Amino acid sequence: MKILIDNGHGVNTPGKCSPDGVFREYKYTREIAAAVVQHLQYRGFDAQLLTPEEYDVSLRERVNRVNTWCKKLGRKNVCLVSIHTNASGNGKEWMTARGWSCYTSRGQTAGDRLADCLYHAAELYLPGHKIRKDYSDGDPDWESDFYILKYSQCAAALSENLFHDNSDDCLFLESVEGRNAIVSLHVEGVVRYVRQWG
Ligand SMILES: [Zn+2]
């Protein structure tokens, strides 16, 4: 199974930072994604970054890279996790929304199985944190038309790792404990998926 780890946005993406400007989503998710890939490779899994660039890569190009792997290896032999942090406001003030969530494309797809595994890991690694779920379609993940989920041909999930415009979430994200938890939940979630469905 080829495991593709994507990190949101780029150094040139406007906004996407905490209200005090200290936390930047593009930077944080790159650091997390690099650590996730490193851990997976160390454990013998075929993992790699989808977008190693500092600058933003268009969604079209990201999907193109994913689907090139799908074409080469077969869509069942590829999975994608796109790592983001969430925000509920316009970036100018601290907000109250908190918690972890994961998105898939609409309908029942392999992405739902991947998201289930990530939810399982999130419950383990983020004790005491709000795990945001949407059971309206029978499973915990949220469904959306996010471009990268809709057009990637393989199992694809997008994680929103707490809110960078909530001061408590932000503090946790930047802590050593928080970073380890976010990395571990992706590593263990993906390992669970590959062992069950790979
Ligand atoms: Zn994002």
Side-chain angles (χ1 to χ4, degrees):
M1 176 87 67
K2 170 69 75 180
I3 302 159
L4 300 172
I5 304 294
D6 181 47
N7 31 241
H9 319 291
V11 64
N12 53 323
T13 308
K16 308 286 181 191
C17 59
S18 58
D20 61 7
V22 173
F23 182 98
R24 296 198 66 191
E25 180 181 350
Y26 99 88
K27 185 166 184 284
Y28 187 80
T29 57
R30 269 160 182 71
E31 289 164 4
I32 296 292
V36 169
V37 166
Q38 209 170 46
H39 279 75
L40 286 168
Q41 286 177 346
Y42 181 74
R43 286 170 61 174
F45 292 92
D46 181 13
Q48 70 179 73
L49 289 174
L50 183 69
T51 43
E53 296 94 335
E54 277 289 295
Y55 277 81
D56 193 23
V57 173
S58 73
L59 290 169
R60 200 188 165 97
E61 170 60 18
R62 290 175 198 245
V63 167
N64 187 35
R65 290 179 189 180
V66 174
N67 290 342
T68 300
W69 280 112
C70 293
K71 203 168 170 184
K72 194 170 169 190
L73 304 174
R75 60 198 285 182
K76 288 195 172 70
N77 300 316
V78 182
C79 67
L80 166 74
V81 180
S82 184
I83 299 176
H84 289 250
T85 54
N86 216 338
S88 64
N90 60 9
K92 294 194 168 57
E93 53 194 323
W94 294 104
M95 306 296 285
T96 56
R98 298 189 64 174
W100 187 92
S101 52
C102 186
Y103 289 79
T104 64
S105 60
R106 293 186 195 281
Q108 283 297 316
T109 65
D112 292 275
R113 298 198 285 267
L114 176 56
D116 280 348
C117 294
L118 290 166
Y119 266 96
H120 184 269
E123 300 272 12
L124 283 176
Y125 287 95
L126 294 174
H129 288 268
K130 183 173 184 177
I131 307 296
R132 303 166 71 95
K133 297 171 186 164
D134 169 27
Y135 272 109
S136 60
D137 61 335
D139 58 28
D141 61 83
W142 299 78
E143 312 226 317
S144 87
D145 287 323
F146 286 143
Y147 188 95
I148 199 161
L149 299 177
K150 193 171 176 182
Y151 295 105
S152 290
Q153 289 162 3
C154 60
L158 185 150
S159 60
E160 291 281 12
N161 296 279
L162 312 184
F163 283 74
H164 60 244
D165 62 357
N166 176 283
S167 55
D168 293 322
D169 273 8
C170 213
L171 212 60
F172 178 76
L173 283 170
E174 289 284 35
S175 69
V176 173
E177 183 199 359
R179 282 175 181 267
N180 288 341
I182 300 294
V183 170
S184 295
L185 87 82
H186 288 90
V187 171
E188 298 309 327
V190 167
V191 166
R192 188 180 172 87
Y193 175 77
V194 172
R195 291 209 170 124
Q196 270 187 343
W197 306 100

